[in-house]
Amino acid sequence: MKNDRVNFGSKLGVILASAGSAVGLGNIWRFPYEAGQHGGAAFILIYLVCVFVLGMPIMISEFLIGRRSRANTAGAYKVLAPHSPWRWVGFMGVLAGFLILSYYSVVAGWTLEYILEAGVNGFAHKSATDFKSAFIAFSQNPVRPLVWLIGFLLMTHYVIVKGVKKGIERFSKVMMPLLFILILILVFCSLSLPGSNKGVEFLLHPDFSKVNSEVFLGAMGQAFFSLSLGMGCLCTYASYFSKDTNLSRTAFSVGVIDTFIAILAGLIIFPAAFSVGISPDAGPSLIFITLPNVFQQAFIGAPVLSYIFSLMFYILLALAALTSTISMHEVVTAFIHEEFDISRTAAARWVTGGCIVLGIFCSLSLGILQHIKLFGLGFFDLFDFVTAKIMLPLGGMFISLFTGWYLDRKLVEDEVTNGGTLKVPFLKLYIFILKYIAPIAIALIFINELGLLS
Ligand code: PFF
């Protein structure tokens, strides 16, 4: 196994690269539509509990597994638990990464189309209905989305081949703060639209009568997806962390940044959706229909501003997606490179090629391959369901069992406290959650969804 590993160059770089993986389409595209389909505020509350009770400890675990082993996610289990079946947790993670990357890149490709549209001022003078029909026509087109999909995967490929420090870190440092500022501006724009208060209410007033097993599964899946957890992504990144990185503090920063951005995205989308009368449960098309509208309506007297902001927004959205696709690609590339002993570039080529093929099927399943269904779902929805709602939480469950029960307690404490040099106030609670709460809670949510609890 190769171990000529580079490190991230700075503390800020570590946080921003990890946050760059976490913050992406999951926050701005997937969170609002999942929240919208599951009733809004109640879903968000359950989501928050999942992030902070399950997500944080599991993130620290991924960090410590990665940094301790300094290997790709499957290799990590071989180092820490030689000759044991634990390596299958790593394999499942790599497979999940590969599948997510395939359908995620389809949506990431859509953002490129919207950059072009914003760039040629194509949103001007259009109404909500125009945006809706334009999106449907585009996403069902058999060629255009494929071109963008391939383009996006090639961009990801390029950064991966350039390497960790130069590519990922430098990139995240500029992009993340910019994205944050623009999102704040958009929240103000959206809140200023007429009738936006209904959207705020939808976000803030929980209606628990709508909570069922699907809401729990959806919120848990979204938490894992959004935090990039359960598939060894942060484990792979942590293998590039240095010895003095504070794992628990980094996890907390990433969790807070990620959650904050998701809530802000909700504060952009829902007020805007209610303002123009688009149903919050419109599904994956939600942001692509509501957002162009926000730009048009919020700056009615100043078309230049709507032009600049919409263009900037889609560029930043594409970049946020890129820092996430890079992280997924890295999981699979590092695995192939280290386990099969082929060069990084060749490994990256296999990953990019494979994802292009699967991605094409996912994209076409929204249009000309609509009639092909497996378990009642098209490829795109199937990939999303199987990964976010099954593989990631299952991965998270095994990661918590591995850290809580298998790994030596001393090793765990040693990693989290950096050899006793850091005071970590919640260490005992953290281990308790990993041993009992997280595995039991995840198992219960699965069992509940199967209908065995009612
Ligand atoms: N967390 C990313 C997002 O919210 O867009 C998606 C993601 C990245 C999921 C990396 C899983 C992963 F390993």
Side-chain angles (χ1 to χ4, degrees), residues 136-335:
I136 293 173
F138 163 68
S139 60
Q140 298 189 347
N141 183 302
V143 182
R144 258 182 110 87
L146 303 191
V147 175
W148 294 126
L149 159 75
I150 295 171
F152 205 92
L153 278 165
L154 291 180
M155 273 162 42
T156 309
H157 182 90
Y158 176 77
V159 182
I160 287 289
V161 170
K162 279 198 83 138
V164 175
K165 200 155 156 184
K166 271 202 221 128
I168 302 172
E169 186 177 348
R170 197 189 291 163
F171 201 72
S172 306
K173 268 188 188 164
V174 185
M175 204 261 344
M176 295 286 300
L178 255 178
L179 179 69
F180 186 65
I181 295 169
L182 200 72
I183 284 181
L184 278 182
I185 297 176
L186 285 175
V187 170
F188 283 110
C189 294
S190 191
L191 290 177
S192 70
L193 296 176
S196 60
N197 51 340
K198 282 211 201 90
V200 179
E201 199 166 300
F202 182 74
L203 267 180
L204 299 182
H205 285 285
D207 174 1
F208 288 104
S209 66
K210 294 211 176 93
V211 174
N212 56 20
S213 65
E214 250 179 56
V215 175
F216 276 100
L217 187 69
M220 174 172 73
Q222 176 59 25
F224 279 97
F225 187 90
S226 190
L227 294 171
S228 304
L229 282 184
M231 52 161 270
C233 176
L234 295 179
C235 168
T236 304
Y237 268 22
S239 70
Y240 308 113
F241 286 4
S242 69
K243 280 274 154 261
D244 58 357
T245 301
N246 185 332
L247 300 186
S248 57
R249 196 180 292 165
T250 305
F252 188 71
S253 310
V254 174
V256 168
I257 294 173
D258 189 70
T259 307
F260 199 50
I261 298 211
I263 303 283
L264 289 180
L267 275 173
I268 300 174
I269 308 294
F270 292 116
F274 278 90
S275 168
V276 288
I278 286 169
S279 166
D281 60 3
S285 61
L286 187 64
I287 71 157
F288 292 94
I289 298 173
T290 44
L291 268 180
N293 237 303
V294 181
F295 299 116
Q296 293 316 303
Q297 308 275 328
F299 307 101
I300 271 180
V304 185
L305 286 184
S306 61
Y307 177 82
I308 295 176
F309 281 129
S310 51
L311 185 59
M312 265 176 68
F313 180 80
Y314 286 110
I315 292 177
L316 288 172
L317 186 59
L319 291 177
L322 186 59
T323 49
S324 301
T325 53
I326 290 167
S327 71
M328 290 176 239
H329 203 300
E330 177 64 27
V331 171
V332 195
T333 302
F335 168 74

Side-chain angles (χ1 to χ4, degrees), residues 78-90:
K78 286 200 202 158
V79 174
L80 299 177
H83 314 295
S84 76
W86 284 108
R87 65 183 186 286
W88 286 95
V89 179

Side-chain angles (χ1 to χ4, degrees), residues 33-148:
Y33 89 70
E34 280 281 318
Q37 285 181 330
H38 291 121
F43 170 93
I44 295 175
L45 277 180
I46 301 172
Y47 171 76
L48 291 176
V49 173
C50 289
V51 167
F52 288 99
V53 178
L54 304 179
M56 285 301 81
I58 294 178
M59 192 184 295
I60 300 175
S61 306
E62 282 210 22
F63 280 164
L64 81 86
I65 293 170
R67 185 174 66 177
R68 184 72 173 203
S69 61
R70 296 183 74 72
N72 70 81
T73 175
Y77 293 94
K78 286 200 202 158
V79 174
L80 299 177
H83 314 295
S84 76
W86 284 108
R87 65 183 186 286
W88 286 95
V89 179
F91 295 150
M92 183 174 76
V94 174
L95 180 64
F98 187 62
L99 297 178
I100 299 178
L101 182 57
S102 304
Y103 82 88
Y104 193 94
S105 302
V106 173
V107 185
W110 296 348
T111 64
L112 298 181
E113 165 85 6
Y114 276 66
I115 293 178
L116 179 73
E117 211 36 38
V120 297
N121 207 11
F123 296 142
H125 315 299
K126 284 200 175 136
S127 68
T129 5
D130 296 334
F131 290 125
K132 198 168 172 177
S133 43
F135 176 78
I136 293 173
F138 163 68
S139 60
Q140 298 189 347
N141 183 302
V143 182
R144 258 182 110 87
L146 303 191
V147 175
W148 294 126

